[in-house]
Every structure is written in structure tokens, then in C-alpha cells.
Amino acid sequence: MTNSRPALTSSIRALLGSRRFFAVLVAVFVLEAAWLALSGRYPMAFDEDFHLGIIRLYAHHLSPFWSGQPANADAYGAVARDPSYLYQYLMSFPYRLVMLFTQSQTVIVMVLRGLNVALFAASLPLYRRLLLKTGASRALTQSCLALFVLIPIAPLLAAQINYDNLLLPLTALSLLLTVQISQELSQTQRLNVKRLLGLISLGLLTTLVKYAFLPVLLAVVVYLAARCWQVYPSWRKFWLSLGFGFTLMARRTRWLLLVMAVLSTALFAQRYGVNVVRYHTPIPDCSQVLSVQQCEAYGPWRRDHNTELHKNPNATKSPLVYAADWFYGMWLRTFFAVDGPHTNFQTRGPFVIPSMAAIGFTGVGLLAALAYSRRIFKKYNRPVLWLFAGTIISYAGLLWLDGYHSFLQIGVANAINGRYLLPILPLLLVICALGWQQLLRHRPQLKLAVASLALLCMLWGGGALTYILRSNDAWYWPWTPLKGANHAVQDSLGPLTPGYRDPGAFMGHN
């Protein structure tokens, strides 16, 4: 009996670390996201009508540049100066292709949603390669990714037309390139100029997908600068290494990468640089670019503007009050279910088991990671862990500061969404897992039990189940077989899921 337990532990660990497990993980995620894409009536909650509206504008405009505000575009804000445009521009090409065969909005939405599911799914093997660079085992890495795809907001985001779905794989690829450059720098004392130019182009272009990538890019720049400072004793050595790296590239590759770097820099300057010169900020407010009357047509601006006009002069400015609202709101909107504008964004609360388990496992994992940080940095890949920590702090910190600035301006906490954290959650999950690994380092069977319990808790109402069990017919496309399938899941699994009869759970504090 005592010999069978280690054998079982080894077998389960081998299963969790197998390629087959990862393939099943990706397939299950694609299936649950596709189910939600087929179920959710257009437009869903995460700005689908906004993104599709701008995609339509670009579909009738070959260039990504505008001489001024496009006609009939006021509902989308200052389109011509919005730096987050590359996703919509790229999506306009499959939109044009579908339009050659049909004018059906339903078909167009389904095709674009399918592409978004594929984009999100493409981030998973990239994050897998990135997390493995820490030196963590495949079993631990793939368990973290299994938890990631079972976060309710993940399949819900993937099922919608939204630029975050392109941001995810580009973020993972950028960080992976950064790690590869750093590792080669340590091994050969030489910069891989080919990868560096690729990273520059990719990083600048990703900021044009969504400006939220800017703090990630900042973390990457600071990290690589620190790594070069560690390796090169002088600027002369640095420039000699850079020059030698150019000579190692084939001429065609060299010119191609230089052209890409120049082009991406020009595109970056065309939006962010011009915005700074004209409006003294890289991301200008709508009213800085358009008239107040025009901006009134843009829903988010109108909401914030009206809130600011009626702001309570005695409203608190305490960062602690905002921090409490921010953490609670981020947690709530990572595990909740929400519909689109046709039900006035009807919202349903999280299920108790996955949402509470996430707090417990993450909290203990982070505390353990801090307590055993020296041991973790000694045992695992120290430079990669520093990159992860810097990226998390930079991204989450600037996200919090941006929200706090808005809080001071309009007097209420606003635009707090769990999906904003998805690009850094795989990094955070692996750090928590390494904390648990050290906490239970002498008890391998208990480690496996904890991992299994975490997966079970997320399965019990997490993933696509949160949306399916919390939704109703008003959320669905008017297709009877689809409604019947969702009702069947609700009738069979709903009574087995704690909190099913309490759709308003945790919403009272929102």
C-alpha cells in the first residue's frame, strides 16, 4: 500500500505533464469558448458593438490612417487619434472577405468570433513555453494553464470580438522573445540582434493593438537594459556586440528586420508621438480631439462626463477606499457572468466554490512565494522570475494608477474589469504555484492533492459553466436547439453547483 502511493503520484504527475493533457486542455477551452460564441446573442458585453463598428469603418477604408474624424464615427470616440486601432484594422480584412459572400451580420459575427477564439487559444502554447522558462515542471506549468482556462472570464472573453484576444498571444510572444534574448546574452555574452529587432517591431506594434501593453513594454525595456548592464562592462562593449550581431545576419534578413523596425517605429510615432505633440498626452481624452457635442455620442465618455458633472464634492479621495473597490471589483468581474446591452448588461454573481477557492489558493501561494522567495530564486530561473515580477508590478500598478486617476476625476470607481488582468494571470499563477511547491516541498503527495483540489474547485462551476448556469433565454441567439442544450446543462448540473439558486451572490457589495 505504501509503495502504491508514490507510484500513483508519479503517474498523475506524468499525466499532468504530458502533451496529451495539454492538447486536451486546449481542445476543451476551444470547445467551451465556441459554445459561448454560439450561445451569446450579439452584441455581448465586452464592447463587441464598439469593435465591430470600427471594423466596419476600416473595411471601407484601405489605409489605417484618417485625415480627420470619419463620417458617422462619433459613437466610437476619437477614431483618428485612438492609438489602439491595429486589431480593428486587421479584422477588417476577414470582414471584407466574408462580405463578398454574404451581408448577414450573424454570419459575420460568427466568423469574427471564431477568429477570436483561435487568437486566444493561440496564446496557450506560447504561455506554456514562456512559463516553462522558469524551470518549473511541465506538470506544474500545465496545471497552471488548466486553472487559467477555467477562470470564467477567459472563455467569455475569447467568445467575443475584442482586441484583448489579440493582445494575449502578442504579450506572451513578446515576453518569450525577451527571455530568449536574455538567455542567449548570458550564454554567449552577445545580443541576438535578429531577435532584438523582432522584439522591437513586435512590441511597438502590440502597443497599437491596445495601449495597455505600454507597461509591459516598459518592463521589457528596463529588464533588458539591466541584463545588458550586468553583462557588458562598458558602452563600447555593448555597441561592439550589437555591431557583431548585425554581421551574423544574412543580408536579406537584416534589411527585412530593419524595414520592419523602422515601419513599426513610424506607426508608433504616428499615433503616440503625434498625440504627445498635439495634446500633450499619448492617449488624449475624446474632448481634446473632438467637440463635446461629438463626444456625447460616445457612451463611455458620456458616462464619465455626466458622472463628473454630478460628482459629490465631499466624495472620498482615499487610495485605500479605491484599492478596496478595485480588488473586490477585479475579483468579482473575473468570476461573474454578464450579458450585453440588450438586457442593460444584466449581471449575475460568481459561484462560491471557484471564486472563493481562487482567493484561498492564490493568497496562500503568494504569501508562500514571498516567504520562500530566496529559495525559489535560487532553485528556479532567477532572471525569468525577475521579468515576471517586473511585468506584473508594472502592468497591474499602472492599471491601478490609471483607475485611481479616473476615481479622483469623476468621484466613483469605474471601469474595473477582471479581463484586464488576463495577460499577466498566467505569470501570477506560476509564481503562486512555485510558492505552494516550496511550502509542501517535503510532501509530494500533499502537493498533488492540493493541485487536484484546485482543479476540482475551478471545474465545479468555473469556466464556461458560470455563463451557462447563470444565463437565461434573453442572453441567447433565438435558436431553439441551442437554448435547449443550455437548459439541459442547467437542469442537470445546476442543482449540483453550490450557489445556483442565488444569482445575486456577492453583487450586494458591487
Side-chain angles (χ1 to χ4, degrees), residues 95-353:
Y95 179 96
R96 297 172 218 233
L97 181 62
V98 176
M99 285 289 287
L100 295 176
F101 302 97
T102 179
Q103 304 289 314
S104 169
Q105 176 175 272
T106 301
V107 173
I108 292 168
V109 167
M110 286 304 181
V111 170
L112 294 183
R113 282 183 179 179
L115 290 173
N116 278 264
V117 172
L119 286 172
F120 195 118
S123 73
L124 298 178
L126 292 170
Y127 274 115
R128 178 182 179 273
R129 289 182 61 191
L130 176 64
L131 300 188
L132 286 171
K133 294 292 186 180
T134 61
S137 68
R138 285 186 297 177
L140 184 144
T141 294
Q142 293 180 175
S143 297
C144 288
L145 289 176
L147 293 173
F148 177 62
V149 301
L150 288 172
I151 295 172
I153 210 68
L156 186 56
L157 171 66
Q160 303 185 37
I161 303 168
N162 188 284
Y163 53 9
D164 287 332
N165 291 313
L166 180 55
L167 178 67
L168 281 161
L170 295 184
T171 299
L173 182 56
S174 298
L175 292 174
L176 183 59
L177 279 173
T178 304
V179 170
Q180 291 171 341
I181 291 169
S182 172
Q183 289 180 333
E184 193 162 345
L185 188 61
S186 296
Q187 294 164 4
T188 66
Q189 308 293 295
R190 189 171 63 240
L191 274 171
N192 186 318
V193 180
K194 181 166 36 174
R195 283 202 176 103
L196 182 62
L197 287 174
L199 176 61
I200 290 170
S201 299
L202 180 65
L204 293 176
L205 291 175
T206 304
T207 65
L208 299 175
V209 171
K210 189 175 182 181
Y211 67 83
F213 184 74
L214 285 169
V216 178
L217 184 60
L218 174 63
V220 165
V221 170
V222 171
Y223 172 81
L224 287 180
R227 296 289 292 131
C228 288
W229 181 77
Q230 289 175 331
V231 170
Y232 298 114
S234 65
W235 280 105
R236 181 174 178 275
K237 291 283 188 182
F238 170 77
W239 289 113
L240 285 174
S241 175
L242 205 60
F244 182 67
F246 270 103
T247 65
L248 295 178
M249 288 191 290
R251 180 177 297 180
R252 182 178 297 179
T253 303
R254 185 187 311 161
W255 282 108
L256 177 62
L257 288 172
L258 281 173
V259 168
M260 283 298 299
V262 170
L263 178 61
S264 58
T265 302
L267 291 173
F268 180 88
Q270 191 272 336
R271 289 296 166 105
Y272 289 102
V274 171
N275 284 349
V276 169
V277 171
R278 286 186 185 175
Y279 309 108
H280 310 295
T281 175
I283 309 157
D285 183 76
C286 177
S287 61
Q288 292 180 269
V289 183
L290 306 177
S291 68
V292 171
Q293 184 178 0
Q294 286 177 292
C295 291
E296 285 283 355
Y298 180 37
W301 186 92
R302 182 176 65 250
R303 175 200 63 205
D304 291 349
H305 179 63
N306 291 337
T307 304
E308 185 178 2
L309 288 177
H310 299 93
K311 180 174 68 173
N312 180 359
N314 299 318
T316 181
K317 298 181 180 180
S318 169
L320 295 178
V321 170
Y322 177 74
D325 288 342
W326 190 85
F327 280 106
Y328 188 86
M330 282 295 181
W331 166 80
L332 177 73
R333 294 179 187 89
T334 299
F335 290 90
F336 76 160
V338 60
D339 189 40
H342 45 266
T343 60
N344 196 27
F345 298 97
Q346 198 172 72
T347 305
R348 298 291 180 259
F351 284 108
V352 63
I353 289 181

Side-chain angles (χ1 to χ4, degrees), residues 384-432:
V384 175
L385 291 174
W386 275 120
L387 174 63
F388 282 16
T391 301
I392 291 168
I393 292 169
S394 176
Y395 183 92
L398 288 175
L399 181 64
W400 186 89
L401 286 172
D402 182 62
Y404 182 60
H405 177 265
S406 175
F407 173 71
L408 293 178
Q409 185 175 354
I410 66 177
V412 296
N414 202 6
I416 301 173
N417 290 292
R419 64 186 169 96
Y420 297 159
L421 293 176
L422 284 176
I424 61 169
L425 279 184
L427 318 185
L428 185 64
L429 285 171
V430 80
I431 289 174
C432 291

Side-chain angles (χ1 to χ4, degrees), residues 457-510:
C457 288
M458 291 303 295
L459 282 167
W460 204 347
L465 273 179
T466 298
Y467 180 91
I468 295 170
L469 297 181
R470 289 302 199 203
S471 57
N472 57 62
D473 285 357
W475 295 25
Y476 307 145
W477 292 99
W479 188 37
T480 303
L482 194 68
K483 292 180 181 179
N486 282 313
H487 291 162
V489 175
Q490 291 169 352
D491 293 340
S492 58
L493 297 182
L496 303 176
T497 307
Y500 176 63
R501 304 297 181 189
D502 184 16
F506 306 107
M507 298 300 298
H509 300 288
N510 182 33

Side-chain angles (χ1 to χ4, degrees), residues 352-367:
V352 63
I353 289 181
S355 61
M356 289 290 101
I359 294 175
F361 284 110
T362 304
V364 173
L366 278 178
L367 290 174

